[in-house]
Amino acid sequence: MQTADPSDTVIERPSDLTPEWLTAAVGAGTVTAFTSERIGTGQMSECYRIGLTYADGRDGPATVILKVAATDPMSRQTGLALGLYEREVRFYSEVAPRLGGPIAQCFHTSYDPETGIFALLIDDAAPAVVGDEIRGATMEDARLALTELGRLHAPVIGSDTFAEADWLNRESPMNQALITQLYAAFIDRYGEAITPDQRMVCQRLVDNFDAYLAEETAAGRPKGLVHGDYRLDNMLFGRPGSLRDLTVVDWQTVTWGPALTDVAYFIGCALRTEDRRSNYDELLRAYHEGLGPNPPLTLDDVRDGVRRQSFFGVMMAVVSSMLVERTDRGDEMFLTMMERHSSHVLDSGALDIVPDDARQALLPDPVDEGAHEPGDEPLWNESWYWDFADPGQGIGGWIRLGLIPNQNVAWINALVCGPDLPTVALLDFQAPLPADPAVVAGDDVELRHGATVPLQSYRVEVSGAAQSHDDPSALLRGEAGRPVRLAMDLTWTTTGTPYAYRITTRYEIPCTITGTITVDGRSYEIEAAVGQRDHSHGVRDWWSMDWVWSALHLDDDTHLHGVDLRIPDLPPLSVGYIQRAGDVVETTEVSADATFADNGLPVQTRIVYQPGPVDTTIRVVGNAPVRLVAPDGRVSLFPRAWVEVETTDGRRGVGWAEWNRNL
């Protein structure tokens, strides 16, 4: 039988396997037949036990495990966007060979960053017993897990190689704004079961999360490899005949970070509280002994690091419970985690190390006005956006430039509208990716842009062949309009405080706008229009979530900005600000309730910004929507509108809003 090069075949499902491929991948003898059965209930990935039959009685593993991406498109897209698949594949191919400890042997890895298709073929830890986080571990199993964790950590603590690995050092999306929202949802769900002591621990962490995180990730703190979910449910304890005493699975969340994170997470919840208290010193020594005869950390280093990272388990109880499908066992597990980890925080005196966060709104860096080095994700996007509204002349509009380097295209969008005007749209979703991001040209369209004074003044010039629509909903249907010419030469001057998101790489700036607009031969001189601009970079997936975005400017010079973000199977997320005269208050919640006409255009939306609350109703003045089509054919309707706003306390204003709606 001729063997095949495993790298020549894409493995997406067990049906893609062949005896020839398995022969080459396992390398233990000629495989003549195989069987497949699904094991586990993973949401982001699927695992199969592959039974192997060999020719001529040759020896080899009787079974191996195949791990592949989830079949569900949404789960696969999430795994791809969050880098989960890439991390696990690269862990097994680049990191695991350098480590000891409880890691399965890996026969094959493959990964396609375009589609998210990946495959891992690893040895089977069976016969083994899966740990149970709720029941807890015996001291024997706990000592084993910590000793093996020490063996795993020892070769790489402080490693320059892994400290510089981009895929291990991606910025975490978790920050104070996000955990505040998740904690509110957690209390809403579990509040009656949460004790006063647990609430105290959580509130101390949530209120000071950014400051705590900054201190724990500062230079000088011991850094190492972090599994990120080192708990009993991810551990297979070997039984007679198994390859190892312990096998740890699910390396999709592996990162480079505070070295003692996994130790603190395991100790905090692996045993019942009274057992952890009685055996605490022994547990710390087990890990320290696992580091070997010349350990990179002292026992005191271990004790201090575990104390400092004891909050990790509290955070995971809050975050994980809000990000996975709710089940009865899940509820029991998350409440168990909260009880045990909170007790660990209190017992270790960790409350004392949390700094008070005199948090101020974040300011963007002036250098971020320019373009950034792209990531390798297919939907990585660099976006510049500008809008304006001139009620006196009855014209408003928006411009957006999006660079999508891994698709080698740029999006150029420039639209104007008004209460007595048709909607004019200059749209090119296939412009060539420019060598100079400041000058982008497509088919009879050109856009030039740049900061004249970073974060203070920004000029945009765009011109080209546009289409005029008396019915703006035609844009949502992808219908053509009447050919016209459109040109804009506008400058956005900062009037509010530039605001950088904590949750992602993005900033927003309230502005006044001056310049010239020419629509179908008619010119408008813009002198003091109100508006907004923003700039972001990172993965942008319009087709996996819905949102309502708003940038509103009231007649008392208050600027409101918020995003109400809805991701399937997750609680609502939001970010934004309320600012006036340099005083910026970050929102804790932004909630939007929208109504739409049958043609897909927005009719009215109520938006409530917290704290306050500032309760607003927005009504459409002019529509300027677009239809967004993904490379795989998914469609998002993207109505944008110039709006009037009125608050419940009688203030009025204007601004822009957008509603991203997946079909």
Side-chain angles (χ1 to χ4, degrees):
M1 179 183 297
Q2 184 177 3
T3 60
D5 184 347
S7 63
D8 292 339
T9 303
V10 175
I11 304 298
E12 186 175 6
R13 309 253 64 81
S15 57
D16 297 323
L17 299 172
T18 65
E20 295 83 2
W21 188 92
L22 289 165
T23 296
V26 177
T30 301
V31 177
T32 58
F34 67 93
T35 60
S36 169
E37 66 169 324
R38 177 79 185 269
I39 57 175
T41 58
Q43 294 177 313
M44 293 297 175
S45 309
E46 297 175 6
C47 290
Y48 299 85
R49 176 169 282 116
I50 309 299
L52 304 177
T53 301
Y54 298 91
D56 305 323
R58 293 287 300 273
D59 290 333
T63 56
V64 291
I65 302 299
L66 175 69
K67 187 172 185 177
V68 294
T71 306
D72 175 66
M74 186 66 69
S75 297
R76 179 176 293 193
Q77 184 57 44
T78 301
L80 177 63
L82 295 179
L84 304 180
Y85 300 157
E86 179 188 11
R87 289 189 187 192
E88 188 160 36
V89 167
R90 297 188 71 167
F91 169 78
Y92 277 108
S93 61
E94 300 177 24
V95 180
R98 301 181 54 173
L99 305 178
I103 306 171
Q105 178 184 355
C106 187
F107 303 110
H108 168 80
T109 65
S110 59
Y111 171 65
D112 182 353
E114 295 289 329
T115 64
I117 294 172
F118 84 97
L120 293 171
L121 194 71
I122 60 178
D123 68 35
D124 191 352
V129 175
V130 181
D132 187 329
E133 194 79 354
I134 297 173
R135 184 178 65 247
T138 65
M139 271 300 298
E140 180 182 3
D141 285 348
R143 280 193 297 267
L144 173 64
L146 287 165
T147 301
E148 291 296 287
L149 182 60
R151 290 183 59 214
L152 186 152
H153 282 172
V156 294
I157 288 179
S159 167
D160 291 338
T161 299
F162 296 125
E164 299 299 323
D166 290 342
W167 65 275
L168 277 174
N169 287 274
R170 293 180 176 175
E171 185 174 352
S172 170
M174 192 53 56
N175 55 41
Q176 193 159 330
L178 181 54
I179 198 171
T180 297
Q181 296 176 59
L182 294 175
Y183 178 60
F186 179 87
I187 289 297
D188 185 60
R189 179 184 295 180
Y190 299 118
E192 293 184 358
I194 306 302
T195 69
D197 278 352
Q198 293 165 19
R199 285 177 180 261
M200 177 184 64
V201 170
C202 291
Q203 204 65 58
R204 183 67 181 274
L205 177 65
V206 169
D207 289 346
N208 303 281
F209 188 82
D210 284 347
Y212 167 75
L213 197 65
E215 184 160 315
E216 294 311 301
T217 56
R221 298 279 186 206
K223 300 294 195 301
L225 198 70
V226 179
H227 177 282
D229 202 14
Y230 196 84
R231 59 185 174 90
L232 291 171
D233 287 9
N234 287 326
M235 298 179 182
L236 305 174
F237 292 90
R239 294 297 181 260
S242 62
L243 297 170
R244 287 169 298 280
D245 292 334
L246 177 68
T247 301
V248 175
V249 298
D250 197 0
W251 293 89
Q252 293 185 341
T253 57
V254 64
T255 58
W256 189 255
L260 281 302
T261 301
D262 288 340
V263 186
Y265 188 46
F266 181 83
I267 287 179
C269 198
L271 293 91
R272 297 179 183 273
T273 299
E274 55 272 19
D275 294 333
R276 187 248 314 147
R277 289 169 173 163
S278 301
N279 298 279
Y280 197 66
D281 290 343
E282 183 180 352
L283 294 168
L284 295 176
R285 283 196 299 271
Y287 171 78
H288 188 248
E289 290 169 2
L291 293 173
N294 298 300
L297 302 172
T298 68
L299 184 57
D300 285 342
D301 292 335
V302 172
R303 186 181 301 276
D304 182 65
V306 168
R307 173 177 176 246
R308 305 190 74 88
Q309 290 304 307
S310 60
F311 285 101
F312 182 80
V314 177
M315 181 195 73
M316 288 293 287
V318 172
V319 173
S320 300
S321 64
M322 296 295 104
L323 298 184
V324 300
E325 182 180 359
R326 188 176 185 183
T327 64
D328 290 343
R329 188 182 188 280
D331 286 350
E332 185 179 4
M333 183 178 71
F334 295 127
L335 289 173
T336 298
M337 291 173 63
M338 179 57 68
E339 183 274 318
R340 293 178 185 174
H341 286 299
S342 295
S343 294
H344 186 204
V345 168
L346 295 171
D347 291 345
S348 63
L351 284 180
D352 296 339
I353 60 102
V354 179
D356 289 329
D357 183 12
R359 188 171 68 156
Q360 297 181 340
L362 298 180
L363 296 174
D365 191 321
V367 301
D368 281 330
E369 291 272 54
H372 297 79
E373 188 69 25
D376 56 7
E377 300 89 348
L379 294 178
W380 194 95
N381 185 295
E382 181 122 29
S383 169
W384 291 265
Y385 165 83
W386 309 267
D387 69 35
F388 65 94
D390 187 339
Q393 299 192 77
I395 188 169
W398 63 276
I399 307 168
R400 182 180 180 273
L401 171 65
L403 306 181
I404 313 174
N406 300 316
Q407 297 176 25
N408 206 36
V409 299
W411 290 5
I412 303 173
N413 300 161
L415 297 92
V416 296
C417 62
D420 300 313
L421 297 176
T423 297
V424 175
L426 191 164
L427 305 175
D428 189 342
F429 292 100
Q430 293 295 326
L433 190 73
D436 179 4
V439 183
V440 189
D443 186 12
D444 199 8
V445 57
E446 183 178 87
L447 187 151
R448 296 175 177 267
H449 69 108
T452 51
V453 180
L455 301 180
Q456 295 301 314
S457 179
Y458 208 104
R459 184 178 181 185
V460 186
E461 301 171 84
V462 61
S463 62
Q467 295 184 3
S468 178
H469 299 265
D470 293 326
D471 177 7
S473 69
L475 285 159
L476 293 177
R477 298 187 293 272
E479 299 172 1
R482 178 173 61 86
V484 298
R485 304 294 298 184
L486 174 65
M488 293 190 257
D489 184 354
L490 300 170
T491 296
W492 275 257
T493 301
T494 298
T495 55
T497 301
Y499 170 75
Y501 281 22
R502 298 177 187 272
I503 197 171
T504 188
T505 49
R506 177 187 180 108
Y507 55 86
E508 300 264 350
I509 307 178
C511 298
T512 58
I513 297 89
T514 57
T516 304
I517 302 169
T518 303
V519 185
D520 199 19
R522 178 181 177 181
S523 292
Y524 301 81
E525 295 297 325
I526 309 298
E527 295 185 358
V530 296
Q532 188 94 347
R533 71 179 178 97
D534 68 47
H535 182 198
S536 65
H537 61 278
V539 175
R540 180 73 68 87
D541 187 351
W542 288 263
W543 308 280
S544 66
M545 63 193 77
D546 293 350
W547 66 76
V548 179
W549 172 99
S550 57
L552 310 175
H553 313 280
L554 304 183
D555 48 14
D556 67 347
D557 294 326
T558 296
H559 304 285
L560 305 172
H561 165 64
V563 182
D564 181 354
L565 182 64
R566 306 298 175 100
I567 303 174
D569 301 322
L570 299 182
L573 303 175
S574 61
V575 65
Y577 59 70
I578 304 167
Q579 60 167 282
R580 185 171 184 263
D583 181 22
V584 181
V585 176
E586 294 182 274
T587 58
T588 57
E589 181 182 359
V590 179
S591 58
D593 183 16
T595 58
F596 297 87
D598 292 342
N599 61 9
L601 295 176
V603 177
Q604 181 174 290
T605 299
R606 180 189 179 198
I607 305 176
V608 181
Y609 306 81
Q610 299 280 8
V614 180
D615 192 336
T616 70
T617 299
I618 59 175
R619 298 178 179 85
V620 173
V621 176
N623 284 291
V626 293
R627 180 184 178 93
L628 303 177
V629 183
D632 61 7
R634 290 176 295 159
V635 174
S636 178
L637 299 184
F638 194 72
R640 267 190 170 275
W642 168 15
V643 300
E644 294 177 338
V645 56
E646 183 175 1
T647 68
T648 53
D649 59 10
R651 292 176 289 172
R652 297 177 180 271
V654 298
W656 277 82
E658 70 183 33
W659 302 255
N660 189 60
R661 305 177 71 203
N662 290 180
L663 292 184

